[in-house]
Amino acid sequence: MAARRILIFGAGVIGSIYGGLLALGGSEVTLLARGRRLEELRRDGLRLQRTDVTGASMTSLLKPSVRVIDHLDAEEVYDYVFVCLRAEQVMSALPLLASNRSKTFVFMVNNARGYDLWEEVLGKGRVLPAFPGAGGEIREGVVCYGLTKKMVQPTVLGEIRGERSVRMKKLRKLLDGAGFATEIRRDMDAWQKTHLALVCPLACALYLDGGDNRTLARNTTVLTLAAKALKETLAFIRQSGIGIRPKRFGLIRFVPVWMIRAVLACLFDSRWAETFVLGHSLNARGEMEHLTQELLTLAEQRGFDLPVLRQLTPSRFGH
């Protein structure tokens, strides 16, 4: 495949992982960064190191060759623009993105409101929803990262209207070549809403307990609320007509609360949770609170109440 011109709009953990591995895979990658991260990249370059769930290094230090910029040139066209922002930052960034002439903007971010507002600003056909299959943290300027397995959480992408487009197939091939496990979904909106129904209760439980996954694993009161909230949010996704995707997650609605609680205790009492749950939940608390509020609002708009989820949320952002 010919080298692709890629812009990563947002050079945090996710943007750095995708930009770095795509660059190592042969793409021409540009990172748009701001503030301290911009200074860091200009001084030291992009540095990556893959780690396992224990935090141990799996590779030597990787130094992909990327270009670093601090503003978006309206006339510079890229094959794909990866939007790697937090959910609450997207709306304010849309006018700037719309000024650029690139045709495909890959939004590596979740939302409960759907894609109408994004298309309204960017234009129909320019939005390609996706979700990352990676996680990690930045330690002294080095992005220490892990890639999730396909059976757990691949990089998911899909056209808004479900078609199997040429651009999406090319993008999947590009990501596969860079080492990412990928999955194409025809029902991306339902998939993302189901994902929120799963992760919002877990993040809120973590905050309610105080922000430590190990203590949460022993807090039966909060874990019970989280288990009940999972059943509640998934019931809403199904009964509202959105549809649970993948369908297998619908089975959680029939699992006893005590059994879900036991599974959550094991999940949170693990290094996996520290790598793929704790870091993001704490570093992006504003995003998770924003997404939880969006989910509560969506339920209210469709005539549903989510009292257990509201009980899990801090009063300052709950209803």
Side-chain angles (χ1 to χ4, degrees):
M1 177 182 288
R4 295 284 175 174
R5 299 192 74 229
I6 306 292
L7 172 67
I8 305 295
F9 192 92
V13 172
I14 295 301
S16 295
I17 296 170
Y18 279 81
L21 296 187
L22 284 167
L24 290 171
S27 293
E28 180 186 327
V29 175
T30 298
L31 297 182
L32 189 149
R34 301 279 172 82
R36 186 175 65 179
R37 184 63 177 148
L38 174 64
E39 296 174 4
E40 204 169 56
L41 289 167
R42 283 180 168 169
R43 182 183 66 244
D44 304 318
L46 179 60
R47 296 176 293 163
L48 303 175
Q49 190 157 48
R50 188 169 182 177
T51 59
D52 61 21
V53 293
T54 69
S57 300
M58 296 174 62
T59 65
S60 57
L61 189 65
L62 305 173
K63 298 182 178 180
S65 177
V66 299
R67 183 170 68 116
V68 180
I69 61 175
D70 60 3
H71 69 279
L72 181 59
D73 186 338
E75 298 303 316
E76 192 161 10
V77 177
Y78 300 90
D79 294 302
Y80 296 99
V81 176
F82 281 73
V83 182
C84 300
L85 301 175
R86 293 177 180 172
E88 74 275 20
Q89 300 171 331
V90 172
M91 288 305 296
S92 61
L94 287 180
L96 177 59
L97 293 170
S99 70
N100 182 264
R101 295 195 300 111
S102 301
K103 294 182 178 180
T104 302
F105 294 81
V106 184
F107 281 78
M108 303 289 280
V109 61
N110 209 339
N111 80 91
R113 295 191 298 181
Y115 317 113
D116 291 347
L117 287 174
W118 295 357
E119 283 202 312
E120 184 178 318
V121 178
L122 284 178
K124 189 173 181 179
R126 300 179 79 192
V127 175
L128 183 59
F131 196 82
E137 61 180 335
I138 301 177
R139 304 176 194 162
E140 298 181 353
V142 177
V143 180
C144 300
Y145 74 96
L147 301 180
T148 49
K149 296 181 180 179
K150 187 167 186 175
M151 63 181 295
V152 177
Q153 172 62 70
T155 298
V156 183
L157 56 150
E159 293 284 2
I160 291 176
R161 293 158 190 87
E163 67 271 25
R164 294 268 181 169
S165 65
V166 172
R167 68 173 181 176
M168 186 173 60
K169 292 177 182 177
K170 288 182 177 179
L171 177 58
R172 182 181 193 180
K173 189 173 182 179
L174 197 68
L175 291 168
D176 286 342
F180 296 98
T182 59
E183 179 183 1
I184 291 177
R185 302 289 314 187
R186 292 182 180 273
D187 45 16
M188 197 64 192
D189 184 58
W191 186 96
Q192 291 201 310
K193 286 180 169 65
T194 301
H195 184 265
L196 288 179
L198 293 168
V199 300
C200 287
L202 303 187
C204 289
L206 186 63
Y207 304 145
L208 186 60
D209 179 70
D212 186 320
N213 61 296
R214 300 289 184 174
T215 63
L216 175 57
R218 300 188 295 273
N219 190 332
T220 56
T221 299
V222 176
L223 287 180
T224 297
L225 281 175
K228 291 180 178 179
L230 282 170
K231 293 169 70 73
E232 175 185 78
T233 54
L234 287 170
F236 156 62
I237 294 297
R238 181 181 181 276
Q239 294 169 12
S240 65
I242 294 169
I244 297 173
R245 298 293 185 274
K247 291 182 179 180
R248 65 179 180 273
F249 288 120
L251 297 174
I252 294 174
R253 296 178 299 117
F254 305 106
V255 179
V257 168
W258 67 264
M259 189 177 294
I260 299 174
R261 183 179 63 223
V263 171
L264 292 180
C266 292
L267 170 68
F268 282 110
D269 191 24
S270 69
R271 289 303 297 266
W272 186 91
E274 291 177 3
T275 301
F276 293 104
V277 179
L278 182 66
H280 177 76
S281 295
L282 296 184
N283 293 330
R285 178 165 179 161
E287 177 179 41
M288 289 310 306
E289 293 181 352
H290 173 85
L291 290 169
T292 301
Q293 186 61 68
E294 280 196 346
L295 184 62
L296 288 166
T297 300
L298 176 68
E300 185 178 276
Q301 290 172 344
R302 299 200 175 202
F304 289 82
D305 187 22
L306 302 178
V308 184
L309 181 60
R310 285 191 284 104
Q311 191 176 349
L312 272 175
T313 60
S315 59
R316 64 187 178 87
F317 79 94
H319 284 186

